Amino acid sequence: MATEAWLTPKHHFPYELIPYELSIGSPFPLGATVDQGGVNFSLFSAHATGVELCLFDDAGHSESHRIALSEQTQQIWHGYVHGLKAGQLYAYRVYGPYEPQLGHRFNPHKLLLDPYARQLVGEYQHHRANYGYELNSSSEDLSFSTLDNAAFMPKCKVVDIRPLIAAAKASAIRPLVRRPLAQSIIYEMHLKGFTAAHPEIDDKRRGTFAGLASKPAIDYLVELGVTCVELLPVQAFFTEPFLLEKQLTNYWGYNSIGFFAPEPSYLSSADISEFRVMVDALHSAGIEVILDVVYNHSAEGSRLGPTLSFRGIDNLSYYRLHPNDKRFYINDTGCGNTLNINHPRMLQLVLDSLRYWVEVMGVDGFRFDLAACLGREAYGFDPGSGFFDALLQDPVLCQVKLIAEPWDIGPGGYQLGNFPVAFSEWNDRYRDTMRRFWRGDHGMLPEFARRFHGSGDFFEHSGRPPAASINFLTSHDGFTLGDLVSYTHRHNLANGEDNRDGHQENFSYHYGVEGPTSDPNIMAIRARQQRNLLTTLLLSQGVPMLLSGDETGRTQLGNNNAYCQDNKLNWFDWSSLGMDRELLAFTRTLIALRKRFPLLCARHFIHEQLAAQPLASSCARLDWFSRQGDQMTKSLWSESMCRSLSVVLSGDLALKGKQQALLLMVNADDNPLVFTPPTLAHLSPWQCLIHTQSDSQLGTPLDTQSSPCAGPLDAQVLPTRYQLQDRSLMLFHADLIL
């Protein structure tokens, strides 16, 4: 129920007289803005009846002053505090009706974070005072809590970003590192997990932005050969109460609360410029930075969650609520709430946040979590939604890399292939197809070819290139690559949900034993399968994304939903026991091969040519053959029991006028198979680049004049007939002789 006593601000605070002069100030820019004379504060709330700025001491423990912001312009409350300086800690209390049925949840007993805060100081502490209603009351969220939560909340810090802006304008590094997305090799990593256990990095810097900026971390990435890191959320986030009660944390960070503030626990110092220093260090090494961002929901959760920021500032404006009973949140995210991206001020906040991370912090692009939410209008998903239109016309944001996770749990939530032309998309059809094909599922050849070719059936219809497909085998969400070939079932008991969480169907297989084994035959099959999958990923058209640690055989012991495990289960294992150096060397070779042959990342889809045409008649072509060396026909494609084929990619592969061809022979069968290379004119002899066969069982040439390939980058010539080991592949190249 509404409480009249809280509809207007109180002015008789037990605080010392305000020593600061207050003037009208400006509604724009939103947030706290520093200049030579003081700080301008600006906060949007359409339905508030009063807003108070609360100032705190340097430790954030004691509230020293409250200042009522009485000026309103376009529903924005603002005021300029003279004499205030950068470093000041602050937050807000907002007055208004507490009427959950009408969508209002104002409660001035709750200290609220500024949505535009550039930095948060202090830790969030789980306490009943953080809730706007009385916990355990019979009326649930209809009751009203008078507990003050200031002692349990972090505080916002006034940050002078002018030096960062000046440094960004002066930087000459970033324009030099930009490359087309089609030429990118993305490395998805957790900022903390990558360096948390690194033995060559100082304890203070491990797991921080400074840790990733360190020489050992960057040297590893350069030697691996990746061109871009995609960081799991680094914007400030809180752990959900139900995890805190189980003494777990939200390790992944998909629970954002501050869209401008770096996650405080990732800072090794009190200076947010540490993030910009990290970006510049990566840029200097030729590596771009993409942020995984969460603009679909906030850390405040469902109607029974805490009041931390948006809910107490203007619940009705910031969130999408059920029209018939505004107590309830529309939950298209599965996280309890959905941010109202259709509201102009919420839309402005997201765009301002994106520009801030580009212009001030220097990042090169974004991966949008549950991006279907961002394109959903009242009538459903629309690639011409207000958010997409606003984003793509923005002169800054239209130039950066944009990647969508093309689904959520809302109505019409699966939208692979339906995003605007400027977007690339995580392609789960690629993931599932390659897993199933190499697992040995029947009837997968046509689907394998479509995904290997760049998934033109999803993207080309709208004029999008192969780079629209972000190809991945594994990601943070699910099994690691090593676990994909070691477990058939999930093992998530450590999450405290009785193994009910996480994906049930992973298209995985253990090849004889669930989990670790010392059986050499099983270990050999698992090693081949990891190499098969990685080779397929790096040779496919589209943009490959590698999960951090897959190149070293990292395991999560079968946990396919390790979102709450902030421990060695999730951290990169730098120890000699935890690092498969042979697999690492193999992955480095694959990445080098992709860079050596640029047509593996073609700018346009390669269409089928007539079989009678010579290879050299087209700039680029892709030809499919059976293992007997015959051109694939409709009847051959329809053989559901067939799990083998050869593919020839030819054209100006080096982009230097030299015509070359690549031959990939694939055997996903559980038996050795004999391959006859296709007979093609104008080719020099095929020579081996890489293979995934076990050295002890290397296939045998079936003519007596040739010897087999003996290893990666070998120069041996392909025989006319060759027996390829079960579950393996071979890659060859040849010059086109014109």
Side-chain angles (χ1 to χ4, degrees), residues 401-414:
K401 293 176 171 64
L402 304 172
I403 300 172
E405 183 184 40
W407 52 75
D408 65 10
I409 66 168
Y414 189 76

Side-chain angles (χ1 to χ4, degrees), residues 602-659:
R603 294 178 59 243
H604 306 288
F605 280 99
I606 302 171
H607 291 289
E608 185 178 3
Q609 287 80 29
L610 295 174
Q613 290 181 316
L615 293 183
S617 64
S618 173
C619 180
R621 59 183 292 168
L622 202 59
D623 294 274
W624 302 92
F625 301 90
S626 69
R627 66 180 177 87
Q628 291 84 8
D630 301 321
Q631 195 93 25
M632 290 292 286
T633 62
K634 185 177 293 186
S635 61
L636 289 173
W637 283 117
S638 63
E639 292 184 4
S640 64
M641 301 296 288
C642 182
R643 293 177 286 191
S644 64
L645 80 166
S646 295
V647 56
V648 174
L649 176 63
S650 59
D652 187 2
L653 298 186
L655 301 181
K656 297 179 181 178
K658 183 178 181 180
Q659 300 287 315

Side-chain angles (χ1 to χ4, degrees), residues 486-553:
S486 303
Y487 295 89
T488 301
H489 308 289
R490 64 193 178 195
H491 296 264
N492 299 353
L493 285 173
N495 298 350
E497 299 180 43
D498 298 323
N499 208 38
R500 296 190 303 267
D501 60 310
H503 298 293
Q504 186 168 357
E505 176 53 79
N506 299 280
F507 303 116
S508 62
Y509 189 54
H510 55 53
Y511 301 98
V513 175
E514 185 80 355
T517 181
S518 58
D519 187 312
N521 293 324
I522 296 176
M523 293 174 67
I525 293 174
R526 291 177 179 179
R528 290 204 304 277
Q529 290 291 59
Q530 289 181 78
R531 287 160 172 75
N532 291 334
L533 287 160
L534 286 171
T535 304
T536 305
L537 175 68
L538 270 300
L539 297 184
S540 295
Q541 296 293 301
V543 180
M545 186 187 79
L546 179 68
L547 173 63
S548 175
D550 277 358
E551 74 277 14
T552 64

Side-chain angles (χ1 to χ4, degrees), residues 554-567:
R554 188 178 72 85
T555 179
Q556 292 173 178
L557 302 180
N559 192 322
N560 74 347
N561 189 35
Y563 76 105
C564 56
Q565 300 297 323
D566 187 1
N567 49 53

